[in-house]
Amino acid sequence: MLALRLTRGTHPLVLARRLLVAAASAGVGFLLLCTLGHALGHPEQAPASTLRLLWCVLPLAATVQFAVAVARTDPSTRPRPGLSAIGLGPARLALLAAASTAVTCALGSAVALLLYLHLRGDLTGLPFDGAAAGLLAGDQPVPLAAVLTLLAVVPVTAAAAAALALRPRPAPPVEDVEDETMPSGLPWGVALIAIGLAVETYAGRSGGGDGLPLPGRFDGSPAAVLAGWVLTAIGLATAGPALVHGCGRLLQTARPGAVRLLAGRVLMTESRRVGRPLGVVCAVLSGLLAAASLYGSDTGSDAFGPLTGLGATLILACTCATLLTAALGSRQGHAPVTEALLDAGAPPTALRTAALLRAGVLLAVFLPLTWAVGELAALPLKG
């Protein structure tokens, strides 16, 4: 009840972010229900239905990541003076954030159920002249237990992830607060990227492996290619904070001025907050570049089905929204520093120039990296 009251009284921007989480949850829930429809309509193809269910893990992971990012930046779950006196300490606030996330995702799951039943014709006739009835097994009864189980996956997973991410942690030592070293994930990230590309290369040269069908069409991709791409994505996410930290150090080299110093210090301070979502976006864009390079010709343009497009849209939208949410949280985190600089007489143009400089150096580093990983991933598969 407290989570619902806080949701009703929050800022419109916070409500908009929660509605986006609900929309992403509805998309993933609909994909899961479509997988159930395929299993009901094709009981003899149980392995294919299982593989389609595994494909839904990627948009599910992107949605959960977005939900956790929104929970992190929710002002209603931040510790404030006086809350501990009424029993709302850090642990209770983490549970409150998990409850709010569960309510938001449950709303999206309910929308997905209504859309699924509507397209099947269970509510009011058959829309689109019954074109979706065959895909969703409209002639078969809906198993209620299976539907509720699938629809509970997103709320339960997102709530558990939010509670785990926002759990209270012991304060770091004073000497660690001012630690200016590179996050130590760069070697592991580079190793995972190399292993992932090697797995994709081996899969492309062997040309074997059972097909791993996406929801819809596009069922010619071997399982090893997907495994290689997942390893590459994990590697980019692991190396992202170190790359952002390195960009901050790069800005401060060769006798920097005040603007470069400010931009570099902000990047170094916020590297762990922004680097991981930026690495995930880089991985997703590189995967889309590789898919466009492989299936962008006229002969392969019909390989993608509507549900495949929905899944890809969910992954791209959720990862980009996570990055924007992390950037907004970073801006709110160093707002006191910005106010102090303005009070000290710093011109606002210098702060805007520093922000543009940070964005420019990140684009200069991550755009070529995205293109290179996408081309390397697609190169062995073209043969």
Side-chain angles (χ1 to χ4, degrees):
M1 184 60 68
L2 179 59
L4 291 176
R5 288 181 178 270
L6 291 176
T7 300
R8 188 180 60 181
T10 50
H11 192 272
L13 182 60
V14 179
L15 288 177
R17 291 200 296 262
R18 290 182 177 177
L19 287 178
L20 289 178
V21 173
S25 175
V28 177
F30 184 73
L31 285 178
L32 292 172
L33 292 178
C34 290
T35 303
L36 176 62
H38 180 272
L40 292 176
H42 305 83
E44 73 282 356
Q45 300 179 9
S49 299
T50 303
L51 293 177
R52 285 170 176 261
L53 185 63
L54 291 177
W55 267 113
C56 298
V57 173
L58 298 180
L60 172 64
T63 301
V64 170
Q65 183 195 24
F66 180 39
V68 171
V70 170
R72 285 182 184 276
T73 58
D74 194 340
S76 64
T77 59
R78 295 176 184 171
R80 283 171 287 181
L83 290 180
S84 298
I86 61 174
L88 290 178
R92 290 288 183 87
L93 288 178
L95 294 178
L96 181 62
S100 300
T101 303
V103 170
T104 303
C105 294
L107 175 62
S109 296
V111 173
L113 178 60
L114 291 177
L115 179 61
Y116 177 74
L117 295 177
H118 175 64
L119 292 178
R120 279 173 47 95
D122 295 334
L123 297 181
T124 55
L126 281 175
F128 306 112
D129 296 329
L135 179 63
L136 305 180
D139 56 340
Q140 300 289 332
V142 178
L144 182 60
V147 168
L148 294 180
T149 301
L150 290 177
L151 291 180
V153 169
V154 180
V156 171
T157 306
L164 185 63
L166 299 178
R167 72 187 187 279
R169 298 179 177 86
V174 178
E175 60 270 14
D176 292 342
V177 175
E178 299 295 332
D179 187 14
E180 295 184 0
T181 59
M182 295 185 67
S184 59
L186 185 59
W188 289 102
V190 172
L192 287 173
I193 293 172
I195 294 174
L197 292 175
V199 170
E200 293 184 33
T201 302
Y202 176 78
R205 288 183 177 179
S206 63
D210 296 332
L212 193 58
L214 280 167
R217 301 172 194 154
F218 186 43
D219 33 335
S221 181
V225 174
L226 176 63
W229 182 83
V230 170
L231 287 175
T232 304
I234 295 175
L236 288 171
T238 304
L243 291 176
V244 174
H245 195 276
C247 291
R249 283 193 175 275
L250 180 64
L251 284 175
Q252 299 177 79
T253 57
R255 303 180 63 179
V259 174
R260 288 171 55 195
L261 272 176
L262 178 61
R265 291 296 298 180
V266 170
L267 281 181
M268 292 174 64
T269 304
E270 302 296 331
S271 60
R272 288 181 173 86
R273 186 197 299 262
V274 180
R276 196 176 300 271
L278 189 56
V280 174
V281 171
C282 180
V284 172
L285 291 178
S286 65
L288 292 179
L289 287 176
S293 178
L294 287 173
Y295 299 98
S297 61
D298 293 334
T299 57
S301 59
D302 58 345
F304 298 91
L307 299 182
T308 300
L310 175 60
T313 302
L314 281 174
I315 294 172
L316 181 61
C318 288
T319 51
C320 291
T322 302
L323 177 59
L324 292 177
T325 303
L328 180 61
S330 173
R331 181 181 178 183
Q332 294 174 349
H334 57 76
V337 178
T338 303
E339 294 178 0
L341 289 174
L342 291 175
D343 292 340
T349 55
L351 300 180
R352 289 193 292 266
T353 304
L356 292 176
L357 192 58
R358 293 196 301 269
V361 71
L362 289 178
L363 289 176
V365 171
F366 279 89
L367 281 182
L369 177 63
T370 301
W371 177 83
V373 172
E375 289 295 321
L376 290 175
L379 187 61
L381 301 179
K382 291 180 180 179

